[in-house]
Amino acid sequence: LVWVALIYSIFSTVIAHLVGRKLKNLNIDRQHREADYRAALLRVRDHAEQIAFYNGGEAETGRLKQRYLRIRDNWRRLTNCEFRQETFWATYVRISIFIPILATLPMYLAKTMTFGDMMQTRTSFARVQDSFGWFTDAYRRLIEWAAVIERLSGFQTALEQAEQKSPSLQSHQTDLPHHSGKVVLQNLTVYTQTGSPLLTDIHLQARSPEWVLLEGRSGIGKSTLLRVLAGLWPYYHGSFSLEGSRLF
């Protein structure tokens, strides 16, 4: 019966994986869609006044509904897959109860084994089955853990790629001498995250308490330049120096 339990466990494990192999991708997708929906809700809450000024309530409601429908679609597919997996698991448990009984029934009918011996055999088989069938019993939990690990791994990979791209755009940065209350920009070029230039070859010198006005059409990179000076935007090429706690 030990070999029967082992073979049955291996067979059940393979079937469990075939039935529930989509659970990991569905769980990863669920985390992404729920995170997008939460981010959209936070954005609407933080910009509620601006949305009201522009009468954008209907448009924002439509966007939120689209994101919610994506969550609902994912949950339906996830629920259907979990239902199939749980149905297989319940069938697997029920069959494992009858295997030792069917195996020992001929000996019991031939009166070479007592009913007590049959129950002891069933108990022993159940213990062996629990050991061999751990993977099948914990399959759903393992899949959920695998989904979390894969998403965190993807996030870590994205961070490493961003760190690798940053030095390539700053390879020609040099330190300039610092002067109190002064900002100096030399040959500064600001890029997008994909490496496309926004502002190129900027030369600027200003000293406090002077005022500097950055003027231009929307989208050319004015705010991004300020992010570079504040240390929030690593995608630039060139050099700059600034000092003074009240520079901006």
Side-chain angles (χ1 to χ4, degrees), residues 137-154:
D137 295 336
Y139 184 81
R140 181 177 173 182
R141 185 181 301 175
L142 293 174
I143 284 295
E144 292 176 352
W145 289 347
V148 174
I149 292 173
E150 184 166 332
R151 188 179 179 212
L152 293 177
S153 176

Side-chain angles (χ1 to χ4, degrees), residues 101 104-105 108 112-122:
I101 296 177
T104 56
L105 184 59
Y108 173 75
T112 58
M113 176 181 287
T114 64
F115 183 78
D117 294 337
M118 182 186 297
M119 292 299 101
Q120 290 180 359
T121 303
R122 178 179 174 275

Side-chain angles (χ1 to χ4, degrees), residues 61-77:
T61 301
R63 293 191 182 96
L64 291 176
K65 285 183 177 179
Q66 289 178 357
R67 286 177 169 83
Y68 181 78
L69 289 176
R70 295 181 70 246
I71 293 176
R72 189 177 67 178
D73 175 68
N74 172 263
W75 267 103
R76 284 179 176 175
R77 292 188 291 157

Side-chain angles (χ1 to χ4, degrees), residues 40 46 49 63 74 76 78 85 89 91 93-94 103 133-134 150 159 161 180 182 200 212 217-218 229 244:
D46 293 341
E49 186 176 7
R63 293 191 182 96
N74 172 263
R76 284 179 176 175
L78 183 62
Q85 202 273 334
W89 182 83
T91 304
V93 172
R94 298 301 181 274
W134 176 87
E150 184 166 332
L159 290 178
Q161 290 177 351
S180 178
K182 184 177 181 181
T200 59
V212 177
R217 61 179 177 82
S218 178
L229 299 181

Side-chain angles (χ1 to χ4, degrees), residues 170-240:
Q170 303 181 41
S171 56
H172 293 81
Q173 178 184 355
T174 57
D175 294 330
L176 298 178
H178 293 275
H179 304 280
S180 178
K182 184 177 181 181
V183 58
V184 179
L185 279 63
Q186 291 185 1
N187 298 321
L188 185 65
T189 299
V190 181
Y191 297 89
T192 64
Q193 291 181 341
T194 58
S196 301
L198 288 173
L199 300 173
T200 59
D201 296 329
I202 306 173
H203 297 271
L204 172 66
Q205 290 190 16
R207 186 187 302 272
S208 64
E210 295 177 351
W211 287 80
V212 177
L213 173 65
L214 302 178
E215 185 177 8
R217 61 179 177 82
S218 178
I220 65 171
K222 303 183 297 296
S223 300
T224 307
L225 174 61
L226 297 182
R227 293 188 183 99
V228 171
L229 299 181
L232 304 177
W233 192 260
Y235 307 103
Y236 66 89
H237 177 108
S239 55
F240 68 89

